[in-house]
């Protein structure tokens, strides 16, 4: 039922004066209206008898009487707080997600949108219990009694007439991310203003955004770092398609929302899309990083923005990475949840969004930038994923043969160590692996690398894989850039599994005899 022949507010996804933020906001409004029409099927159940007409790229709002009454009803229903002081977004249907996700969204919105205390009123610190793997963990969060979204109808309407304003509305950073006045003396010329209908749309941006936590592999594994929030802002082409995608993301467990690169945060947003081989696919988004500049900072600051473009091949490859590489996991302790992030998966994701091979710059990341060998050691627990990825790629299968040749040569070298080791003692495999890596590091040009590789294969003795694929391997070494072969040599070393010997032989490849799963990460939730 439409109560007016002319819409009071019209929004179009294709309007020339919109930005990515406006289009995301429109989508959040679309999602919210879809949910509200299930709760209040008839216009007479809504304030001002407000109704709407929705298409894949337009939104039209109709109502009767006071604009303030209709808009107040819409905003009050859209942005709520539950009984425990958590933000409740009707557009996401928060009641259907578990408490852990609800807290994650609440804390993400507070860190990204409501960073200044003038945009919210804090309530009590709430102590609650979360269930992780059938274990109860105590958790604290800051509740709210009010936030700026809830009373925005007062900004949209004239106080005396209660009708929608016709002039521009001044806005600040909580409504338009990144929109701030840099200096008080220039605020008259640098202030941000919006049409009332666009200001209303911007109110709904938090509904569509996705919040991840960024973790950087720490040199000091015991040092606690403040949370670094990543907010993913998608480019929108179709309201319904974008809405379904955002609702699907609620399937993720909270531990999956921890990453170690901005690229993976962007790919994660689209990772549940169903790719059809015969249908074209292209998506784009922005990933914004918010973090505290130092320990004394009271709120996170925008530190960087990365634009990410995703085609069919990139997403399909990332979906394979999700499937075959180790996922994040959590360690449950009294009052604490430690999230362990797989940085190898994130490094590969970053390569994909840069448009290069998934393995392309692993030498720089795992050698030049990895002084403590932390990332290099992580490769061992991901060795099955490395092999499967190579097997699934026609382009990489030749490198898989090379890995087998290289590891067979390693076995030949290590056999001499086993033979010389006294009975009852562990062979010094760890030292040998470190030496191989060091020898590889000394290769600074094509000639030095090929001299090393030839000598290494000779020292390995009889090599059945090399004999079976002589022409193929010789051609690969001759025609491939030597830096690529060096990367695959590194992967062969890192993913090599020694033959069974005494207990914990596999773990001897790691510093201090730690298993990969026991290496502490800075990531933790309280």
């Amino acid at each position: 039922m439409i109560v007016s022949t002319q819409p009071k507010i019209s929004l179009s996804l294709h309007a020339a004066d919109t930005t990515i933020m406006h289009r995301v906001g429109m989508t959040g409004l679309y999602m919210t209206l879809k949910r509200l029409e299930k709760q209040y099927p008839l216009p007479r159940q809504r304030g001002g008898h407000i109704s709407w007409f929705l298409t894949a790229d337009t939104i039209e709002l109709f109502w009767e009487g006071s604009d303030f009454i209709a808009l107040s009803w819409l905003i009050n229903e859209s942005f709520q707080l539950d009984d425990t002081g958590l933000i409740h977004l009707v557009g996401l249907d928060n009641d259907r997600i578990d408490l852990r996700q609800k807290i994650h969204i609440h804390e993400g919105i507070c860190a990204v949108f409501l960073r200044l205390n003038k945009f919210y009123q804090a309530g009590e610190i709430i102590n609650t219990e979360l269930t992780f793997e059938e274990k109860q963990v105590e958790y604290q969060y800051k509740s709210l009694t009010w936030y700026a979204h809830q009373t925005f109808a007062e900004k949209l309407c004239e106080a005396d007439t209660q009708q929608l304003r016709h002039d521009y509305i001044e806005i600040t950073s909580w409504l338009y991310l990144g929109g701030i006045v840099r200096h008080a003396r220039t605020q008259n010329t640098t202030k941000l203003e919006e049409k009332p209908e666009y200001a209303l749309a911007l109110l709904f941006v938090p509904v569509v955004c996705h919040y991840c936590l960024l973790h950087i592999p720490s040199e000091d594994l015991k040092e606690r770092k403040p949370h670094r929030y990543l907010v993913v802002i998608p480019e929108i082409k179709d309201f319904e398609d974008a809405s379904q995608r955002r609702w699907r993301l609620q399937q993720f467990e909270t531990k999956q929302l921890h990453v170690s690169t901005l690229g993976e945060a962007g790919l994660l947003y689209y990772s549940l899309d169903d790719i059809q081989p015969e249908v074209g696919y292209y998506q784009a988004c922005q990933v914004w990083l918010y973090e505290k500049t130092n320990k004394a900072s009271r709120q996170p600051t925008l530190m960087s923005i990365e634009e990410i473009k995703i085609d069919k091949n990139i997403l399909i490859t990332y979906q394979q990475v999700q499937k075959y590489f180790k996922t994040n996991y959590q360690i449950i302790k009294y009052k604490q949840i430690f999230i362990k992030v797989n940085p190898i998966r994130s490094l590969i994701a970053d390569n994909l969004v840069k448009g290069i091979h998934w393995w392309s710059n692993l030498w720089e990341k795992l050698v030049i930038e990895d002084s403590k060998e932390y990332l290099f050691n992580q490769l061992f627990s991901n060795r099955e994923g490395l092999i499967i990825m190579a097997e699934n790629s026609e382009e990489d299968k030749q490198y898989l043969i090379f890995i087998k040749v290289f590891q067979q040569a390693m076995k030949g070298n290590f056999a001499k160590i086993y033979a010389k080791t006294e009975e009852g003692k562990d062979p010094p495999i760890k030292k040998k692996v470190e030496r191989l890596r060091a020898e590889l590091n000394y290769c600074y040009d094509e000639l030095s690398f090929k001299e090393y590789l030839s000598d290494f294969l000779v020292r390995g003795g009889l090599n059945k894989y090399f004999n079976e694929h002589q022409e193929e391997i010789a051609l690969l070494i001759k025609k491939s850039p030597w830096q690529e072969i060096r990367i695959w040599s590194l992967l062969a070393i890192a993913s090599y599994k020694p033959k069974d010997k005494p207990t914990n032989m596999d773990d001897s490849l790691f510093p201090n005899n730690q298993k990969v799963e026991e290496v502490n990460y800075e990531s933790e939730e309280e």
Side-chain angles (χ1 to χ4, degrees), residues 79-81 85-87 89 105-122 142-150 172-175 177 203 206 211 290 298-300:
F79 302 97
Q80 302 177 6
L81 289 166
L86 286 171
I87 292 173
L89 299 177
I105 293 171
H106 173 91
E107 293 181 334
I109 292 174
C110 288
V112 173
F113 290 92
L114 307 175
R115 295 178 297 121
L116 302 178
N117 55 17
K118 63 182 178 180
F119 300 142
Y120 67 89
Q121 289 178 355
K142 180 171 64 177
S143 67
L144 302 183
T145 60
W146 167 84
Y147 58 106
H149 297 68
Q150 293 183 297
T172 51
S173 59
W174 74 270
L175 191 63
L177 290 183
L203 200 65
Y211 310 95
Y290 282 87
R298 301 188 63 182
Q299 66 272 333

Short mmCIF file of all heavy atoms in Angstrom, two decimals, residues 79-81 85-87 89 105-122 142-150 172-175 177 203 206 211 290 298-300:
data_model
loop_
_atom_site.label_atom_id
_atom_site.label_comp_id
_atom_site.label_asym_id
_atom_site.label_seq_id
_atom_site.Cartn_x
_atom_site.Cartn_y
_atom_site.Cartn_z
N PHE A 79 18.01 1.28 14.73
CA PHE A 79 19.20 1.34 15.58
C PHE A 79 18.79 1.25 17.05
O PHE A 79 18.28 2.20 17.62
CB PHE A 79 19.98 2.64 15.32
CG PHE A 79 20.41 2.79 13.90
CD1 PHE A 79 19.67 3.56 13.01
CD2 PHE A 79 21.56 2.16 13.44
CE1 PHE A 79 20.05 3.70 11.69
CE2 PHE A 79 21.95 2.29 12.11
CZ PHE A 79 21.19 3.05 11.24
N GLN A 80 18.99 0.08 17.61
CA GLN A 80 18.54 -0.17 18.96
C GLN A 80 19.69 -0.61 19.85
O GLN A 80 20.82 -0.80 19.40
CB GLN A 80 17.44 -1.25 18.94
CG GLN A 80 16.23 -0.89 18.09
CD GLN A 80 15.19 -2.01 18.04
OE1 GLN A 80 15.32 -3.02 18.72
NE2 GLN A 80 14.17 -1.83 17.23
N LEU A 81 19.40 -0.77 21.13
CA LEU A 81 20.29 -1.40 22.09
C LEU A 81 19.51 -2.52 22.76
O LEU A 81 18.32 -2.35 23.06
CB LEU A 81 20.74 -0.38 23.15
CG LEU A 81 21.72 0.70 22.69
CD1 LEU A 81 21.80 1.82 23.72
CD2 LEU A 81 23.11 0.12 22.44
N GLY A 85 22.91 -3.70 26.67
CA GLY A 85 23.68 -2.55 26.21
C GLY A 85 24.47 -2.77 24.95
O GLY A 85 25.36 -1.97 24.62
N LEU A 86 24.18 -3.84 24.20
CA LEU A 86 24.85 -4.10 22.92
C LEU A 86 24.07 -3.45 21.78
O LEU A 86 22.83 -3.45 21.77
CB LEU A 86 24.96 -5.60 22.66
CG LEU A 86 25.98 -6.38 23.48
CD1 LEU A 86 25.81 -7.87 23.26
CD2 LEU A 86 27.41 -5.94 23.13
N ILE A 87 24.80 -2.91 20.81
CA ILE A 87 24.17 -2.34 19.62
C ILE A 87 23.41 -3.43 18.88
O ILE A 87 23.93 -4.52 18.63
CB ILE A 87 25.22 -1.71 18.70
CG1 ILE A 87 25.84 -0.47 19.38
CG2 ILE A 87 24.62 -1.33 17.35
CD1 ILE A 87 27.01 0.12 18.62
N LEU A 89 21.40 -3.95 15.37
CA LEU A 89 21.05 -3.45 14.05
C LEU A 89 19.98 -4.34 13.44
O LEU A 89 20.23 -5.51 13.16
CB LEU A 89 22.29 -3.44 13.15
CG LEU A 89 23.47 -2.56 13.61
CD1 LEU A 89 24.64 -2.70 12.66
CD2 LEU A 89 23.05 -1.11 13.76
N ILE A 105 30.47 -7.29 16.49
CA ILE A 105 29.90 -6.18 15.72
C ILE A 105 29.83 -4.93 16.57
O ILE A 105 30.18 -3.82 16.14
CB ILE A 105 28.51 -6.56 15.18
CG1 ILE A 105 28.63 -7.68 14.13
CG2 ILE A 105 27.80 -5.35 14.59
CD1 ILE A 105 27.31 -8.27 13.69
N HIS A 106 29.37 -5.06 17.81
CA HIS A 106 29.27 -3.94 18.76
C HIS A 106 30.62 -3.26 18.93
O HIS A 106 30.74 -2.03 18.81
CB HIS A 106 28.75 -4.48 20.10
CG HIS A 106 28.76 -3.49 21.22
ND1 HIS A 106 27.68 -2.68 21.51
CD2 HIS A 106 29.73 -3.18 22.13
CE1 HIS A 106 27.98 -1.93 22.56
NE2 HIS A 106 29.21 -2.21 22.96
N GLU A 107 31.66 -4.05 19.19
CA GLU A 107 32.99 -3.48 19.43
C GLU A 107 33.58 -2.90 18.15
O GLU A 107 34.31 -1.89 18.20
CB GLU A 107 33.91 -4.54 20.03
CG GLU A 107 33.47 -4.95 21.44
CD GLU A 107 34.38 -5.98 22.08
OE1 GLU A 107 35.02 -6.75 21.34
OE2 GLU A 107 34.42 -6.02 23.32
N GLY A 108 33.27 -3.50 17.00
CA GLY A 108 33.74 -2.96 15.73
C GLY A 108 33.14 -1.60 15.43
O GLY A 108 33.84 -0.66 15.03
N ILE A 109 31.82 -1.45 15.64
CA ILE A 109 31.15 -0.16 15.41
C ILE A 109 31.69 0.90 16.36
O ILE A 109 31.94 2.05 15.98
CB ILE A 109 29.63 -0.32 15.55
CG1 ILE A 109 29.09 -1.18 14.41
CG2 ILE A 109 28.94 1.04 15.56
CD1 ILE A 109 27.62 -1.52 14.53
N CYS A 110 31.90 0.51 17.61
CA CYS A 110 32.42 1.47 18.60
C CYS A 110 33.83 1.93 18.23
O CYS A 110 34.17 3.11 18.38
CB CYS A 110 32.43 0.84 19.99
SG CYS A 110 30.78 0.63 20.72
N ALA A 111 34.66 1.02 17.72
CA ALA A 111 36.04 1.35 17.39
C ALA A 111 36.16 2.17 16.11
O ALA A 111 37.06 3.00 15.98
CB ALA A 111 36.87 0.07 17.26
N VAL A 112 35.24 1.96 15.16
CA VAL A 112 35.37 2.59 13.85
C VAL A 112 34.48 3.82 13.71
O VAL A 112 34.92 4.89 13.27
CB VAL A 112 35.05 1.57 12.74
CG1 VAL A 112 35.01 2.25 11.37
CG2 VAL A 112 36.07 0.44 12.75
N PHE A 113 33.21 3.71 14.09
CA PHE A 113 32.26 4.80 13.89
C PHE A 113 32.11 5.70 15.13
O PHE A 113 32.02 6.92 15.01
CB PHE A 113 30.88 4.24 13.50
CG PHE A 113 30.85 3.66 12.12
CD1 PHE A 113 31.10 2.32 11.92
CD2 PHE A 113 30.57 4.44 11.01
CE1 PHE A 113 31.08 1.76 10.65
CE2 PHE A 113 30.54 3.91 9.74
CZ PHE A 113 30.81 2.56 9.56
N LEU A 114 32.04 5.11 16.30
CA LEU A 114 31.77 5.87 17.53
C LEU A 114 33.03 6.07 18.34
O LEU A 114 33.08 5.80 19.53
CB LEU A 114 30.70 5.13 18.36
CG LEU A 114 29.41 4.76 17.62
CD1 LEU A 114 28.51 3.93 18.51
CD2 LEU A 114 28.68 6.02 17.14
N ARG A 115 34.09 6.58 17.69
CA ARG A 115 35.39 6.65 18.35
C ARG A 115 35.46 7.73 19.41
O ARG A 115 36.21 7.62 20.37
CB ARG A 115 36.49 6.86 17.29
CG ARG A 115 36.62 5.70 16.33
CD ARG A 115 37.66 5.95 15.27
NE ARG A 115 37.33 7.08 14.43
CZ ARG A 115 38.07 8.17 14.27
NH1 ARG A 115 39.21 8.28 14.93
NH2 ARG A 115 37.69 9.14 13.48
N LEU A 116 34.70 8.82 19.25
CA LEU A 116 34.73 9.92 20.22
C LEU A 116 33.55 9.79 21.17
O LEU A 116 32.44 9.44 20.77
CB LEU A 116 34.67 11.26 19.48
CG LEU A 116 35.78 11.51 18.45
CD1 LEU A 116 35.58 12.85 17.76
CD2 LEU A 116 37.15 11.45 19.11
N ASN A 117 33.79 10.12 22.44
CA ASN A 117 32.73 9.88 23.44
C ASN A 117 31.53 10.81 23.29
O ASN A 117 30.50 10.59 23.93
CB ASN A 117 33.31 9.97 24.87
CG ASN A 117 34.03 11.27 25.12
OD1 ASN A 117 33.86 12.24 24.39
ND2 ASN A 117 34.85 11.29 26.17
N LYS A 118 31.63 11.84 22.45
CA LYS A 118 30.45 12.69 22.24
C LYS A 118 29.43 12.01 21.32
O LYS A 118 28.32 12.51 21.15
CB LYS A 118 30.86 14.04 21.67
CG LYS A 118 31.53 14.00 20.31
CD LYS A 118 31.92 15.42 19.88
CE LYS A 118 32.66 15.41 18.54
NZ LYS A 118 33.04 16.78 18.12
N PHE A 119 29.82 10.88 20.72
CA PHE A 119 28.91 10.16 19.82
C PHE A 119 28.22 8.99 20.50
O PHE A 119 27.49 8.25 19.85
CB PHE A 119 29.67 9.66 18.59
CG PHE A 119 30.32 10.77 17.79
CD1 PHE A 119 31.56 10.57 17.21
CD2 PHE A 119 29.69 11.99 17.62
CE1 PHE A 119 32.18 11.58 16.48
CE2 PHE A 119 30.29 13.00 16.89
CZ PHE A 119 31.54 12.81 16.32
N TYR A 120 28.46 8.81 21.78
CA TYR A 120 27.81 7.72 22.51
C TYR A 120 27.83 8.03 24.01
O TYR A 120 28.57 8.90 24.48
CB TYR A 120 28.50 6.39 22.26
CG TYR A 120 29.91 6.30 22.82
CD1 TYR A 120 30.14 5.87 24.13
CD2 TYR A 120 31.01 6.68 22.06
CE1 TYR A 120 31.43 5.82 24.65
CE2 TYR A 120 32.29 6.63 22.56
CZ TYR A 120 32.49 6.20 23.86
OH TYR A 120 33.76 6.17 24.38
N GLN A 121 27.01 7.32 24.74
CA GLN A 121 27.03 7.37 26.20
C GLN A 121 27.32 5.96 26.70
O GLN A 121 26.57 5.03 26.40
CB GLN A 121 25.71 7.88 26.76
CG GLN A 121 25.48 9.37 26.51
CD GLN A 121 24.14 9.85 27.03
OE1 GLN A 121 23.33 9.06 27.52
NE2 GLN A 121 23.90 11.15 26.92
N ALA A 122 28.41 5.82 27.41
CA ALA A 122 28.82 4.51 27.90
C ALA A 122 28.00 4.11 29.11
O ALA A 122 27.67 4.95 29.96
CB ALA A 122 30.30 4.51 28.24
N LYS A 142 32.14 -3.04 27.02
CA LYS A 142 31.57 -1.77 27.45
C LYS A 142 30.17 -1.62 26.86
O LYS A 142 30.01 -1.57 25.63
CB LYS A 142 32.47 -0.61 27.02
CG LYS A 142 31.98 0.77 27.42
CD LYS A 142 33.02 1.83 27.14
CE LYS A 142 33.30 1.96 25.67
NZ LYS A 142 34.27 3.05 25.37
N SER A 143 29.18 -1.53 27.69
CA SER A 143 27.81 -1.36 27.20
C SER A 143 27.55 0.11 26.88
O SER A 143 28.28 1.01 27.32
CB SER A 143 26.81 -1.85 28.25
OG SER A 143 26.85 -1.02 29.40
N LEU A 144 26.50 0.37 26.12
CA LEU A 144 26.09 1.74 25.78
C LEU A 144 24.67 1.99 26.29
O LEU A 144 23.87 1.05 26.41
CB LEU A 144 26.13 1.96 24.26
CG LEU A 144 27.47 1.76 23.53
CD1 LEU A 144 27.30 2.10 22.05
CD2 LEU A 144 28.57 2.58 24.15
N THR A 145 24.39 3.24 26.56
CA THR A 145 23.01 3.63 26.88
C THR A 145 22.42 4.50 25.77
O THR A 145 21.21 4.73 25.73
CB THR A 145 22.95 4.40 28.20
OG1 THR A 145 23.76 5.59 28.10
CG2 THR A 145 23.47 3.55 29.36
N TRP A 146 23.28 4.98 24.87
CA TRP A 146 22.83 5.79 23.72
C TRP A 146 23.97 5.88 22.72
O TRP A 146 25.14 5.83 23.09
CB TRP A 146 22.46 7.20 24.20
CG TRP A 146 22.28 8.18 23.06
CD1 TRP A 146 21.17 8.38 22.31
CD2 TRP A 146 23.27 9.09 22.54
NE1 TRP A 146 21.40 9.35 21.34
CE2 TRP A 146 22.69 9.80 21.48
CE3 TRP A 146 24.60 9.34 22.88
CZ2 TRP A 146 23.38 10.76 20.75
CZ3 TRP A 146 25.31 10.29 22.15
CH2 TRP A 146 24.69 11.00 21.10
N TYR A 147 23.63 5.95 21.42
CA TYR A 147 24.63 6.27 20.39
C TYR A 147 23.98 7.15 19.33
O TYR A 147 22.76 7.20 19.18
CB TYR A 147 25.27 5.03 19.80
CG TYR A 147 24.36 4.01 19.16
CD1 TYR A 147 24.28 3.88 17.78
CD2 TYR A 147 23.59 3.14 19.94
CE1 TYR A 147 23.48 2.92 17.19
CE2 TYR A 147 22.79 2.18 19.36
CZ TYR A 147 22.72 2.07 17.98
OH TYR A 147 21.92 1.12 17.41
N ALA A 148 24.84 7.89 18.60
CA ALA A 148 24.39 9.02 17.78
C ALA A 148 23.34 8.64 16.73
O ALA A 148 22.49 9.46 16.38
CB ALA A 148 25.59 9.67 17.10
N HIS A 149 23.41 7.41 16.22
CA HIS A 149 22.47 7.00 15.19
C HIS A 149 21.02 7.08 15.67
O HIS A 149 20.11 7.33 14.87
CB HIS A 149 22.78 5.57 14.74
CG HIS A 149 24.12 5.41 14.11
ND1 HIS A 149 25.30 5.56 14.81
CD2 HIS A 149 24.47 5.10 12.82
CE1 HIS A 149 26.32 5.37 13.99
NE2 HIS A 149 25.85 5.08 12.79
N GLN A 150 20.80 6.86 16.95
CA GLN A 150 19.44 6.69 17.46
C GLN A 150 18.61 7.96 17.41
O GLN A 150 17.38 7.89 17.32
CB GLN A 150 19.50 6.17 18.90
CG GLN A 150 20.06 4.76 19.02
CD GLN A 150 20.04 4.26 20.44
OE1 GLN A 150 20.69 4.82 21.31
NE2 GLN A 150 19.28 3.22 20.69
N THR A 172 29.86 14.81 10.35
CA THR A 172 31.19 14.57 10.89
C THR A 172 31.57 13.11 10.70
O THR A 172 30.85 12.34 10.09
CB THR A 172 31.27 14.94 12.38
OG1 THR A 172 30.19 14.30 13.06
CG2 THR A 172 31.18 16.44 12.58
N SER A 173 32.72 12.73 11.28
CA SER A 173 33.34 11.45 10.96
C SER A 173 32.50 10.23 11.33
O SER A 173 32.64 9.19 10.70
CB SER A 173 34.71 11.36 11.64
OG SER A 173 34.57 11.48 13.04
N TRP A 174 31.68 10.33 12.35
CA TRP A 174 30.91 9.14 12.73
C TRP A 174 29.89 8.77 11.65
O TRP A 174 29.51 7.61 11.50
CB TRP A 174 30.20 9.35 14.07
CG TRP A 174 29.00 10.26 14.00
CD1 TRP A 174 29.00 11.61 14.18
CD2 TRP A 174 27.64 9.88 13.74
NE1 TRP A 174 27.72 12.10 14.03
CE2 TRP A 174 26.87 11.06 13.77
CE3 TRP A 174 27.00 8.68 13.48
CZ2 TRP A 174 25.50 11.06 13.56
CZ3 TRP A 174 25.63 8.67 13.26
CH2 TRP A 174 24.90 9.86 13.31
N LEU A 175 29.48 9.79 10.86
CA LEU A 175 28.49 9.54 9.81
C LEU A 175 29.16 9.26 8.47
O LEU A 175 28.65 8.49 7.66
CB LEU A 175 27.55 10.74 9.69
CG LEU A 175 26.31 10.55 8.83
CD1 LEU A 175 25.41 9.49 9.43
CD2 LEU A 175 25.54 11.87 8.70
N LEU A 177 32.86 8.12 7.24
CA LEU A 177 34.20 7.71 7.65
C LEU A 177 35.27 8.52 6.93
O LEU A 177 35.23 8.69 5.71
CB LEU A 177 34.42 6.23 7.35
CG LEU A 177 33.63 5.23 8.20
CD1 LEU A 177 34.02 3.81 7.83
CD2 LEU A 177 33.86 5.46 9.67
N LEU A 203 23.62 7.04 7.40
CA LEU A 203 23.35 6.51 8.74
C LEU A 203 23.45 4.99 8.77
O LEU A 203 23.79 4.39 9.80
CB LEU A 203 21.94 6.95 9.17
CG LEU A 203 21.60 6.95 10.65
CD1 LEU A 203 22.45 7.96 11.41
CD2 LEU A 203 20.11 7.26 10.84
N PRO A 206 27.07 1.32 8.75
CA PRO A 206 27.55 0.22 9.62
C PRO A 206 26.86 -1.12 9.40
O PRO A 206 27.40 -2.15 9.78
CB PRO A 206 27.27 0.75 11.03
CG PRO A 206 27.19 2.23 10.89
CD PRO A 206 26.61 2.48 9.54
N TYR A 211 33.71 -6.19 9.90
CA TYR A 211 34.77 -5.80 10.81
C TYR A 211 35.71 -6.98 11.06
O TYR A 211 35.27 -8.05 11.47
CB TYR A 211 34.18 -5.30 12.13
CG TYR A 211 33.10 -4.26 11.90
CD1 TYR A 211 31.75 -4.64 11.86
CD2 TYR A 211 33.43 -2.94 11.65
CE1 TYR A 211 30.76 -3.70 11.61
CE2 TYR A 211 32.45 -1.99 11.41
CZ TYR A 211 31.12 -2.37 11.38
OH TYR A 211 30.13 -1.44 11.12
N TYR A 290 42.08 0.96 11.17
CA TYR A 290 42.02 1.84 12.33
C TYR A 290 42.84 1.22 13.46
O TYR A 290 42.64 0.06 13.81
CB TYR A 290 40.58 2.02 12.81
CG TYR A 290 39.76 2.98 11.98
CD1 TYR A 290 39.09 2.55 10.84
CD2 TYR A 290 39.66 4.32 12.33
CE1 TYR A 290 38.34 3.43 10.07
CE2 TYR A 290 38.92 5.21 11.57
CZ TYR A 290 38.26 4.76 10.45
OH TYR A 290 37.53 5.65 9.68
N ARG A 298 43.40 7.42 23.03
CA ARG A 298 42.11 7.03 23.61
C ARG A 298 41.19 6.38 22.58
O ARG A 298 40.25 5.69 22.93
CB ARG A 298 41.43 8.26 24.21
CG ARG A 298 42.26 8.92 25.31
CD ARG A 298 41.49 10.00 26.02
NE ARG A 298 40.33 9.47 26.72
CZ ARG A 298 39.47 10.23 27.40
NH1 ARG A 298 39.65 11.53 27.46
NH2 ARG A 298 38.43 9.69 28.01
N GLN A 299 41.43 6.64 21.29
CA GLN A 299 40.61 6.02 20.27
C GLN A 299 41.45 5.69 19.05
O GLN A 299 42.48 6.34 18.80
CB GLN A 299 39.43 6.92 19.87
CG GLN A 299 39.82 8.20 19.18
CD GLN A 299 40.08 9.33 20.13
OE1 GLN A 299 39.52 9.34 21.22
NE2 GLN A 299 40.91 10.26 19.74
N PRO A 300 41.03 4.69 18.26
CA PRO A 300 41.76 4.33 17.05
C PRO A 300 41.72 5.46 16.01
O PRO A 300 40.78 6.25 15.97
CB PRO A 300 41.02 3.09 16.54
CG PRO A 300 40.25 2.59 17.71
CD PRO A 300 39.91 3.79 18.51
#
